[in-house]
Amino acid sequence: MCGIVGYWGAKQASDVLVGGLRRLEYRGYDSAGVAVLTGGALHIRREVGKLQALADGLGRAPLEGSVGIGHTRWATHGRPTTYNAHPHTDASGRLVVVHNGIIENYMALKEKLQAAGHVFQSDTDSEVLAHLVGSCYGGDLPAAVRHALQQVEGTYAAAFLHQDHPDTIVGVRHGAPLVAGVGEQESFLASDVSALLDHTRSVVYLDDGNLVQIGPEGVRVSDLADNALPLEVHRVDWNPAAAEKAGFEHFMLKEIHEQPASLTNTLGGRLDQAANRIHLGDQRLTEDTLRGIRRVVVVACGTAYYAGLVGKYVLEELARLPVEVDVASEFRYRRPVLDPETLVIAISQSGETADTLAALREAKRLGCPTLGVINAIGSTMGREVDAVLALQSGPEISVASTKAYTSMVAAMLVLGVHLGQVRTTLSDADAAGLIRDLKHLPALVTKTLEMAPKVRALAEAFALSQNFLFLGRGINYPTALEGALKLKEISYIHAEAYAAGEMKHGPIALINEAMPVLAIATRSATYDKMVSNIQEARSRKGSAMGTVIAVATEGDIQIAHHVDRVLFVPDCPELLSPIINAIPLQLLAYDIARILGKDIDQPRNLAKSVTVE
Ligand code: AGP
């Protein structure tokens, strides 16, 4: 999982490449490199660590030249070292490649090339691409790439540059994202449009099997048999400033505070109060199709999976459909029982998560209608699903997902109301009530965010805890799971989440005075049960209970009798409560990680978009 940028034009290529890579650092950040054509020869710079190390090196010894390719890496084959960093060269040293993805048959290819005398410098699968294309090169770079790819199995987005071909950068896409940017006398390649926004808003989304050439002729797209394909140039409206921190210390904090706006965007245009209807925004998922559905299967990973678990409660409640939620990496290796009456919903912020994509493809293969609940709609998933429920929450840069999560839950609520109406399991009066509640949701989130100083004070008290336990019930059991994931991924504190009713079946043995317990105890159908679960744990003879912190509903004066600390959130309908309750947990994770001095936006071992298995 890596980020790729390519530039052909008149500017200093290294500036454009490093600027673009900065926007792509979320895709991986264990090393970075660029290759620039300088005075007719290729010059390569590579550094281990964050992109800044490369930028500093280029600052000390600039590379002059206006054509080049760059890469930020997240290791899959070979440790993060300088020699494993991209770009990689072929045997002649005259051709370079940057690659994102996995070459599955790289060992077989490598052995064949070694037998022919090729010497490899790295442990990567990517270097094989350079040698293979180099071995096919006879003066025509695009032809060499086409020829070489016939032997390659796996997934890739790659860019190639040959010093004898200063007028062409060749890009290919097969199972990993790649876009081209069209500028005035300049053109670009990138893993993602965010890398292009400082230079152009005219973007060509590439498909699997496309080969793209950028150079003085602009952008040319063809298939692997060299048939030219029509150029579809899309205009991107994202503001580059939207991808900046806008005064916040971290992207995560900015994104937490953006939630009133991101939820407004997710719900925007979908809640028709006058007609008491929902407009999903994609005509391809017709009411007839939805009426024919007998079952729903949700596939997703991580935070998106937890949004799917909330979705299960929502869809079962409103549409009375059986819903299963699967971790995508498990789903793809089972023999799932699917049929054309099963709607498969893939939930993903990036739309590029390899496991979710594979699960989606399996569902399509078995003839299921598919719906993507996706933020990056130009993504691979966005283009492969039958219909998209676009989150519209804007770019999410922080590795820890916050605004995309609440938008995913909001999208599942919108879908639930729509399905309930179409399937007549939801009365008009109840639909009207929910549409009204959803209209009010962004304002309620704004109000919830006012609790930030109280959460900060709580974080001060608990930042040194080694362990945390999160408890929830019903529709807020996934909230507990999400709260624990947020805390562990950015603060590295061990955190577990349980359905509160499960405590007595084992986990209660963990509890001691050093274990803070965060219980989500907002107004709900299971409120009394939740309070009993808290009491059960506290009344264990001979074992001291750690501090119990409750997330409770404003005005609940009883809760203080049962717990040590309370974070009050505004009252809201139970179905919407996972969104409201997620906010104090996001803030708590953020504040604890900040107090501990962790790398909040780019936590160790993680990357924003997991495009490998
Ligand atoms: C969220 O905080 C995580 N970093 C991670 O679990 C993420 O949600 C998961 O990798 C799925 O990503 P996606 O939504 O882009 O598919």
Side-chain angles (χ1 to χ4, degrees):
M1 172 157 39
C2 311
I4 291 175
V5 183
Y7 178 69
W8 190 98
K11 295 174 184 154
Q12 283 300 340
S14 58
D15 292 346
V16 177
L17 299 176
V18 171
L21 292 176
R22 253 186 230 294
R23 302 252 195 219
L24 296 180
E25 238 189 332
Y26 72 89
R27 299 181 60 81
Y29 40 79
D30 60 38
S31 54
V34 293
V36 174
L37 269 177
T38 306
L42 279 169
H43 288 85
I44 298 175
R45 295 283 172 76
R46 302 185 292 185
E47 295 285 348
V48 176
K50 290 199 170 182
L51 185 62
Q52 194 54 41
L54 179 69
D56 289 345
L58 287 166
R60 284 190 298 273
L63 275 184
E64 303 285 328
S66 59
V67 180
I69 57 177
H71 188 267
T72 174
R73 178 171 187 250
W74 186 75
T76 55
H77 290 70
R79 291 183 305 115
T81 58
T82 312
Y83 62 83
N84 281 333
H86 300 216
H88 292 290
T89 47
D90 75 334
S92 74
R94 303 168 81 81
L95 177 144
V96 278
V97 66
V98 289
H99 164 233
N100 169 34
I102 290 180
I103 308 302
E104 281 166 10
N105 60 338
Y106 86 101
M107 275 313 295
L109 292 171
K110 191 169 179 172
E111 281 163 15
K112 214 164 106 186
L113 287 158
Q114 280 170 327
H118 289 250
V119 177
F120 287 81
Q121 313 291 336
S122 79
D123 309 321
T124 66
D125 52 339
S126 311
E127 192 187 1
V128 169
L129 272 185
H131 283 260
L132 192 62
V133 174
S135 70
C136 297
Y137 181 74
D140 181 339
L141 181 60
V145 172
R146 281 191 185 96
H147 188 202
L149 290 184
Q150 288 170 9
Q151 303 173 54
V152 174
E153 291 165 22
T155 56
Y156 47 83
F160 302 85
L161 176 60
H162 198 294
Q163 71 178 40
D164 299 344
H165 271 266
D167 279 349
T168 314
I169 297 175
V170 175
V172 286
R173 181 200 151 119
H174 181 77
L178 190 67
V179 296
V182 184
E184 289 287 324
Q185 312 292 321
E186 59 183 359
S187 22
F188 309 81
L189 290 178
S191 297
D192 173 321
V193 287
S194 61
L196 309 178
L197 293 181
D198 289 331
H199 305 283
T200 182
R201 271 138 196 295
S202 300
V203 170
V204 178
Y205 291 109
L206 300 167
D207 284 318
D208 284 352
N210 284 175
L211 183 145
V212 59
Q213 291 165 247
I214 64 167
E217 317 282 296
V219 176
R220 177 184 188 264
V221 181
S222 56
D223 62 19
L224 292 181
D226 199 17
N227 298 305
L229 297 170
L231 207 60
E232 279 186 45
V233 183
H234 296 261
R235 180 99 194 132
V236 177
D237 292 327
W238 284 2
N239 180 348
E244 301 295 337
K245 289 186 204 154
F248 287 95
E249 198 178 335
H250 297 95
F251 281 111
M252 181 180 178
L253 189 62
K254 171 180 168 266
E255 287 157 7
I256 289 173
H257 284 273
E258 271 175 355
Q259 289 175 109
S262 54
L263 285 164
T264 303
N265 289 343
T266 304
L267 300 169
R270 294 191 161 121
L271 309 174
D272 186 342
Q273 266 181 310
N276 195 27
R277 300 300 289 179
I278 294 284
H279 304 295
L280 288 186
D282 190 328
Q283 308 304 324
R284 291 173 294 178
L285 202 59
T286 65
E287 297 198 356
D288 276 349
T289 310
L290 293 178
R291 266 184 222 106
I293 286 164
R294 298 282 162 264
R295 179 172 159 247
V296 174
V297 170
V298 179
V299 290
C301 302
T303 284
Y305 169 72
Y306 298 144
L309 288 180
V310 178
K312 173 183 169 75
Y313 285 86
V314 171
L315 299 189
E316 288 184 352
E317 172 75 23
L318 302 179
R320 305 301 301 141
L321 274 166
V323 180
E324 288 162 44
V325 190
D326 256 297
V327 170
S329 54
E330 289 296 316
F331 178 90
R332 62 184 294 193
Y333 291 113
R334 289 210 317 268
R335 287 178 58 217
V337 181
L338 297 174
D339 58 44
E341 293 183 335
T342 303
L343 173 68
V344 173
I345 303 177
I347 307 182
S348 177
Q349 188 287 130
S350 62
E352 300 292 351
T353 303
D355 288 319
T356 310
L357 193 55
L360 174 74
R361 286 176 176 160
E362 176 65 2
K364 283 180 71 109
R365 193 182 66 79
L366 294 168
C368 301
T370 56
L371 172 68
V373 177
I374 294 169
N375 196 28
I377 49 164
S379 60
T380 309
M381 243 179 264
R383 287 180 292 134
E384 291 195 12
V385 285
D386 296 327
V388 176
L389 212 172
L391 297 177
Q392 300 171 173
S393 34
E396 190 180 66
I397 305 295
S398 172
V399 166
S401 183
T402 52
K403 64 175 183 172
Y405 173 70
T406 48
S407 283
M408 286 167 185
V409 174
M412 294 310 280
L413 282 159
V414 165
L415 180 65
V417 176
H418 184 65
L419 271 172
Q421 286 194 298
V422 169
R423 298 171 52 79
T424 63
T425 51
L426 184 67
S427 72
D428 282 347
D430 287 346
L434 280 162
I435 290 173
R436 191 188 53 238
D437 293 339
L438 285 166
K439 277 259 180 205
H440 185 54
L441 180 64
L444 210 57
V445 170
T446 304
K447 191 159 175 253
T448 311
L449 285 164
E450 288 169 10
M451 72 193 296
K454 293 197 176 106
V455 180
R456 212 170 300 135
L458 192 82
E460 296 283 350
F462 292 96
L464 297 179
S465 302
Q466 302 290 307
N467 301 286
F468 249 93
L469 193 61
F470 287 71
L471 302 179
R473 289 194 75 118
I475 199 167
N476 279 298
Y477 166 44
T479 312
L481 291 162
E482 170 61 5
L485 175 63
K486 279 300 84 94
L487 184 63
K488 71 184 116 181
E489 77 174 321
I490 60 167
S491 72
Y492 319 147
I493 291 174
H494 168 234
E496 290 198 49
Y498 278 95
E502 270 292 289
M503 287 296 290
K504 56 187 173 293
H505 300 290
I508 203 167
L510 282 173
I511 290 180
N512 64 19
E513 61 285 350
M515 172 82 89
V517 176
L518 193 145
I520 297 154
T522 43
R523 187 169 65 80
S524 74
T526 50
Y527 173 81
D528 292 339
K529 301 272 174 221
M530 188 71 208
V531 171
S532 307
N533 294 142
I534 293 170
Q535 283 170 335
E536 261 164 35
R538 298 192 101 204
S539 63
R540 293 296 100 182
K541 283 209 180 76
S543 75
M545 175 76 161
T547 308
V548 179
I549 307 152
V551 174
T553 307
E554 258 164 17
D556 178 357
I557 48 173
Q558 291 303 317
I559 194 75
H561 300 307
H562 308 296
V563 302
D564 304 284
R565 308 281 288 254
V566 188
L567 286 172
F568 284 113
V569 291
D571 193 9
C572 72
E574 190 176 353
L575 278 178
L576 273 57
S577 65
I579 294 177
I580 298 302
N581 294 345
I583 289 165
L585 307 190
Q586 295 169 346
L587 288 167
L588 184 67
Y590 173 82
D591 286 326
I592 288 180
R594 194 186 49 76
I595 291 164
L596 296 177
K598 302 300 183 200
D599 191 351
I600 292 181
D601 285 331
Q602 296 179 341
R604 70 184 181 201
N605 306 337
L606 293 177
K608 182 65 181 163
S609 174
V610 187
T611 53
V612 293
E613 263 191 70

